[in-house]
Amino acid sequence: MIYMPIPKPQSFSCYIYTTPYPSNFTTTTGTAGRKLKMHMPANTLLPQYLFPILFLLLVSWPAGHADHQRHPFACDPSNAAVKDLPFCKVKLPIAERVRDLLSRLTLKEKVGLLVDNATAVPRLGMLGYEWWSEALHGVSNVGPGTRFGGDFPGATAFPQVITTAASFNASLWEEIGRVVSDEARAMYNGGMAGLTYWSPNVNIFRDPRWGRGQETPGEDPIVAGEYAARYVRGLQGNLPGDRLKVAACCKHYTAYDLDNWSGVDRFHFNAKVSKQEMKDTFEVPFRECVMQGKVASVMCSYNQVNGIPTCADPRLLRDTIRGAWGLNGYIVSDCDSVGVLFDNQHYTATPEEAAADAIKAGLDLDCGPFLGIHTQGAMDRGLLKETDVDSALVNSLTVEMRLGMFDGSGDDVFGKLGPRDVCTRSNQELALEAARQGIVLLKNHGPSLPLSQRRHRSVAVIGPNSDVTVTMIGNYAGIACGYTTPLQGMGRYTRTIHHRGCSNVNCKNAHLFGDAIAAARQADATVLVMGLDQSIEAEFKDRDGLLLPGYQQELVTKVAAASKGPTILVVMSGGPVDVSFAEHDPKVSSILWVGYPGQAGGTAIADVLFGTHNPGGKLPMTWYKQDYLSKVPMTTMDMRSNEATGYPGRTYRFYKGPLLVYPFGHGLSYSNFIHTLATAPAIFTVPVDGRHRNTTTTTTNNAIRVTHAKCGGLSLGLQVDVKNTGSKDGSHTLLVYSTPPVGHWGPHKQLVAFAKVHVPARTQLRVPINIHVCKFLSVVDRSGVRRIPMGQHSLHIGDIKHLLSIQSTPLGVIKS
């Protein structure tokens, strides 16, 4: 999909492909697709409304099989020509099987396997395969590898990732991944999906305007890294012997968090990132995804980093992802990004050079036709060797074999999953529970929540998002099993009086306000469900500001002023919204943020409003005031503040200014939780590897290089008592922050541990906390070196402050 300014009149080609290919498709250099050609005038945009049309053409194209049964695996036992070849023998090591298969492929066949719609090799029993499927928060039909219909009309639509991240519940994240992969495997068995899912998105939500921030776990690299590892483990199955249930993919590597802002788009953006910011922020989630989650794939992004396209940078792909982190899997491009680095960024003089640069940098698979078209030419010109192509295919074919795609019969532990395993009652209950846990109570004056079915016999339900369905599942979603809208959810508790007030979230006029105001005057309570949708924030669409769109703010203020009972503002959005007007308005008694809460969002919202569920979510990103934006261009990648230039810094880690609506980690409850630090060391000793004790490079400003410390198992243990003094059982998120010693290059504070605990009313729970010292109590210096500062660290847990002195072993510190 392309969305870009065209600098001069030119013809533009777009390929649409399906697998298997319709008989009227043509093949060009191993790439099958129907080519749409159109003329684009100078300085125009391909309208965004065309994308759904093109996509519908893709997904509705008649498939090659009507019974929706899974194609036979490669190495089908009924195929006498291949069943006894070494690559089909499941008892052989996978590396040996891959070598055998590669030795049998012709160069033309190899080139046809470098693209997402990999071509068939009938003589070896290999069918065509579409690599591109998505499962960001449920099985999705965004990619051409998955479609709905027949026995699979939909799949469980969990809350958008930013909402689930607000639960701060790592076990929930993994469980969602497990359920999503169950449904993915079931659909694969039914011939409706693939086994390679290009999810999750673990980019840092650096700027509040980013349209895709909703897809991410938020602004904190530690949270994003833990989310990545846990969701990937759930998807991939944690199987013995290196096997995979499905293959996940962490994307988009790296420093990608701008789509289309102020004339700059992701296809042309060069992210200028210091070594310090790269190591300290942007790399962290991907490192955790590879090293802890054991992800089977990483996707490189469209943008350049410091002048080099990420998909052609060997330092990023070959040296870091595969070398330093040890990726056991394949590296794939974002869709058509190899073409983008040639056609849009003009990084190389010829397409053959672009193909060669990408493959030699470490790219294994191209989402798009570019490598299928230009790799042979690159080899003819001596820019690539066949061994370079082999190196790429080793990684992708190995993943297919780990998935069991060359195991013949397919009688594996997941082979019996089918339609009955999709949209099950338990799966949908998990989606509801995820929505409940992700709702954040931002304000509760009085308190006015929870509402009472006895006292609030009627509720005015107002707002453009008050009766929505698809809006609740955000982007990169599929077709939900079913929906409960906010209006329907509240209708299960009390009588509702419904008037939208605005016809949609753009809220361009106020002519519908009268009925909404009248409803508020007569109801016992008023709930306004406002916010955003994909017309305001989305892929290709970054926001211009942080205020509620159009006349929404005026609607809230007027309705609140007229309301007979308490007025509750419910904000449905992916990114933060400046609702400071409502925070300071005494007539708006309570505010909830619900993100995009998934198919069961209406039930979850009503359960929180009426107290069936006690809210426990916390914001995974900072909510800024509108004025903050004037100080931070989206194109400035710096996280740290700069007093000399007036740059204020980004995220809770580096911004300390006054332009906040709500801070990261903010979230109230219907209960009151008190923390007491039961046990914590006052001094902690870091052992230094003996080989480095007398090396001046070990320390700088009394900070030890992490690589010189003995980090294995080096954890700091705390015990925290959490007491629920309220009358309602509740879940509580325990957030542990650290502030490093003064004078170092670290953040103002950094989350170093978090835990989700359930505490019954009027009881106390002791919570053990383990902090990995090398990972979480370290900072990154200006040269990009991670170090552990010696001296006094300050740990913060709620209102508790604990001072911790970190020292090294004798002779371990040589001051310089």
Side-chain angles (χ1 to χ4, degrees):
M1 296 183 292
I2 306 297
Y3 183 67
M4 67 185 78
I6 306 294
K8 57 185 178 180
Q10 58 182 279
S11 292
F12 167 73
S13 298
C14 174
Y15 291 84
I16 298 179
Y17 358 41
T18 68
T19 301
Y21 310 128
S23 58
N24 61 336
F25 264 47
T26 58
T27 302
T28 305
T29 320
T31 301
R34 168 164 292 181
K35 187 175 183 180
L36 307 179
K37 194 157 189 173
M38 59 197 82
H39 185 76
M40 298 294 291
N43 297 311
T44 61
L45 293 173
L46 179 61
Q48 191 170 348
Y49 67 80
L50 284 180
F51 294 135
I53 298 171
L54 295 175
F55 182 71
L56 284 172
L57 284 172
L58 184 149
V59 298
S60 63
W61 208 285
H65 52 290
D67 58 358
H68 300 315
Q69 296 300 307
R70 180 185 65 198
H71 288 301
F73 280 81
C75 304
D76 184 356
S78 65
N79 186 343
V82 300
K83 67 176 183 178
D84 293 323
L85 295 178
F87 72 83
C88 290
K89 295 183 177 180
V90 297
K91 293 185 178 180
L92 290 177
I94 285 179
E96 187 175 331
R97 296 171 66 193
V98 170
R99 282 195 299 271
D100 179 73
L101 176 57
L102 274 175
S103 72
R104 300 175 188 277
L105 293 169
T106 67
L107 179 58
K108 182 179 179 181
E109 289 167 343
K110 291 177 181 178
V111 171
L113 299 178
L114 290 172
V115 293
D116 65 296
N117 61 323
T119 53
V121 185
R123 66 183 185 85
L124 295 178
M126 294 172 60
L127 299 173
Y129 178 67
E130 176 54 66
W131 286 80
W132 180 10
S133 289
E134 301 279 356
L136 182 70
H137 51 110
V139 179
S140 167
N141 57 351
V142 168
T146 302
R147 64 191 186 279
F148 292 105
D151 291 334
F152 300 94
T156 307
F158 288 90
Q160 182 58 284
V161 175
I162 194 70
T163 314
T164 308
S167 72
F168 283 85
N169 187 342
S171 60
L172 173 68
W173 303 337
E174 187 165 341
E175 181 64 9
I176 291 173
R178 184 194 65 77
V179 167
V180 171
S181 60
D182 276 352
E183 297 196 346
R185 266 282 181 172
M187 291 182 65
Y188 171 75
N189 293 340
M192 303 294 280
L195 290 177
T196 47
Y197 289 85
W198 293 347
S199 304
N201 179 345
V202 296
N203 292 112
I204 295 298
F205 199 171
R206 176 186 62 93
D207 190 289
R209 291 163 288 198
W210 189 30
R212 300 188 74 177
Q214 60 182 291
E215 302 173 29
T216 77
E219 70 181 39
D220 182 79
I222 303 302
V223 174
E226 181 68 9
Y227 179 89
R230 297 298 287 264
Y231 188 66
V232 165
R233 289 177 200 162
L235 282 177
Q236 296 189 164
N238 285 317
L239 303 179
D242 210 27
R243 303 289 287 191
L244 294 167
K245 185 181 180 184
V246 303
C249 174
C250 280
K251 61 184 185 183
H252 315 75
Y253 187 72
T254 183
Y256 163 57
D257 47 26
L258 177 152
D259 269 66
N260 195 347
W261 177 81
S262 193
V264 180
D265 66 46
R266 63 185 182 177
F267 304 116
H268 299 86
F269 180 50
N270 176 25
K272 297 177 181 178
V273 184
S274 69
K275 291 180 180 179
Q276 184 179 40
E277 305 289 22
M278 183 66 76
K279 293 288 185 183
D280 191 35
T281 298
F282 299 108
E283 281 191 349
V284 173
F286 293 94
R287 184 190 68 215
E288 293 300 294
C289 185
V290 174
M291 299 186 72
Q292 302 302 318
K294 308 298 181 185
V295 75
S297 177
V298 173
M299 177 184 286
C300 51
S301 53
Y302 289 110
N303 56 287
Q304 296 184 354
V305 173
N306 299 327
I308 304 175
T310 64
C311 291
D313 192 336
R315 292 172 298 179
L316 295 178
L317 307 189
R318 186 187 63 214
D319 298 347
T320 301
I321 297 175
R322 194 168 301 284
W325 301 342
L327 173 71
N328 180 16
Y330 69 98
I331 299 175
V332 62
S333 72
D334 204 342
C335 292
D336 208 33
S337 61
V338 184
V340 164
L341 72 88
F342 171 70
D343 290 318
N344 301 86
Q345 298 174 4
H346 309 297
Y347 182 69
T348 62
T350 67
E352 293 80 14
E353 290 172 321
D357 281 1
I359 291 174
K360 289 194 291 187
L363 188 71
D364 303 313
L365 185 73
D366 179 18
C367 177
F370 198 90
L371 291 187
I373 297 171
H374 298 294
T375 297
Q376 181 66 61
M379 297 180 67
D380 293 343
R381 293 182 55 185
L383 302 173
L384 276 177
K385 299 177 182 178
E386 187 170 355
T387 53
D388 296 319
V389 175
D390 288 351
S391 295
L393 291 179
V394 163
N395 297 318
S396 57
L397 290 173
T398 296
V399 167
E400 288 188 311
M401 289 197 180
R402 291 171 63 196
L403 286 162
M405 294 173 67
F406 285 81
D407 287 0
S409 66
D411 292 332
D412 57 27
V413 66
F414 306 113
K416 295 181 180 179
L417 292 172
R420 67 185 181 280
D421 301 296
V422 179
C423 289
T424 66
R425 181 175 180 178
S426 63
N427 292 359
Q428 295 191 65
E429 281 292 328
L430 183 64
L432 171 58
E433 181 59 23
R436 289 175 179 142
Q437 291 195 27
I439 291 176
V440 182
L441 179 61
L442 300 173
K443 174 185 178 181
N444 195 19
H445 181 69
S448 58
L449 289 179
L451 298 176
S452 164
Q453 288 179 275
R454 178 179 57 82
R455 289 183 291 108
H456 303 106
R457 296 181 180 275
S458 63
V459 173
V461 183
I462 296 165
N465 282 335
S466 58
D467 197 28
V468 293
T469 54
V470 176
T471 296
M472 294 193 300
I473 61 176
N475 69 348
Y476 275 79
I479 297 175
C481 310
Y483 295 97
T484 302
T485 72
L487 176 64
Q488 291 169 336
M490 284 179 267
R492 295 173 179 175
Y493 283 93
T494 190
R495 182 174 67 87
T496 58
I497 307 169
H498 182 229
H499 290 284
R500 294 170 64 92
C502 298
S503 57
N504 54 53
V505 295
N506 289 287
C507 201
K508 291 297 186 182
N509 57 66
H511 73 277
L512 299 177
F513 283 13
D515 290 339
I517 292 170
R521 285 196 178 109
Q522 59 181 293
D524 296 324
T526 298
V527 177
L528 290 132
V529 190
M530 315 299 284
L532 315 177
D533 63 15
Q534 302 305 301
S535 71
I536 304 295
E537 54 175 357
E539 187 171 11
F540 308 111
K541 193 175 187 65
D542 297 326
R543 292 157 67 192
D544 295 324
L546 301 181
L547 301 176
L548 287 169
Y551 288 96
Q552 282 196 44
Q553 180 170 324
E554 183 178 336
L555 176 60
V556 172
T557 301
K558 289 186 174 180
V559 166
S563 181
K564 182 176 75 172
T567 299
I568 296 94
L569 171 61
V570 175
V571 180
M572 191 177 293
S573 71
V577 180
D578 182 353
V579 291
S580 51
F581 78 96
E583 170 64 23
H584 299 301
D585 186 345
K587 292 290 291 181
V588 178
S589 52
S590 300
I591 305 175
L592 290 174
W593 176 70
V594 300
Y596 292 120
Q599 65 176 47
T603 300
I605 291 168
D607 287 349
V608 170
L609 289 173
F610 283 90
T612 303
H613 179 81
N614 190 351
K618 304 285 187 182
L619 290 178
M621 72 297 204
T622 303
W623 283 37
Y624 304 94
K625 294 181 180 179
Q626 171 74 10
D627 291 346
Y628 171 80
L629 300 183
S630 64
K631 303 175 182 297
V632 283
M634 274 194 81
T635 48
T636 301
M637 301 298 294
D638 295 341
M639 303 298 292
R640 288 159 170 80
S641 59
N642 186 325
E643 291 183 8
T645 63
Y647 183 73
R650 294 182 181 273
T651 76
Y652 80 93
R653 299 165 66 221
F654 300 106
Y655 177 69
K656 291 197 300 184
L659 299 176
L660 293 183
V661 184
Y662 301 111
F664 173 92
H666 176 70
L668 307 175
S669 171
Y670 297 153
S671 297
N672 183 46
F673 296 95
I674 297 174
H675 306 108
T676 305
L677 190 59
T679 64
I683 299 174
F684 189 86
T685 300
V686 176
V688 178
D689 191 307
R691 293 170 296 174
H692 302 289
R693 284 185 177 176
N694 296 311
T695 304
T696 56
T697 56
T698 295
T699 63
T700 297
N701 294 331
N702 207 21
I704 296 175
R705 280 178 178 256
V706 163
T707 54
H708 293 177
K710 292 184 176 180
C711 289
L714 194 62
S715 290
L716 172 72
L718 312 174
Q719 289 188 317
V720 182
D721 289 336
V722 180
K723 185 175 184 179
N724 180 354
T725 63
S727 60
K728 295 179 71 68
D729 296 352
S731 292
H732 178 63
T733 300
L734 196 65
L735 302 175
V736 183
Y737 297 94
S738 172
T739 299
V742 176
H744 287 286
W745 324 273
H748 305 309
K749 67 175 182 177
Q750 168 66 57
L751 189 70
V752 295
F754 61 91
K756 189 83 167 188
V757 294
H758 183 78
V759 188
R762 300 185 182 90
T763 64
Q764 180 171 296
L765 182 68
R766 179 159 292 185
V767 183
I769 299 289
N770 287 303
I771 302 170
H772 192 295
V773 173
C774 293
K775 275 187 181 181
F776 304 137
L777 295 182
S778 58
V779 297
V780 177
D781 68 18
R782 294 182 182 89
S783 299
V785 177
R786 186 169 287 278
R787 299 176 180 274
I788 306 169
M790 299 294 100
Q792 191 165 273
H793 294 241
S794 179
L795 300 180
H796 306 266
I797 309 168
D799 295 330
I800 300 172
K801 181 178 180 181
H802 176 71
L803 298 180
L804 170 71
S805 177
I806 295 185
Q807 305 173 355
S808 65
T809 52
L811 302 179
V813 174
I814 307 296
K815 294 186 179 181
S816 61

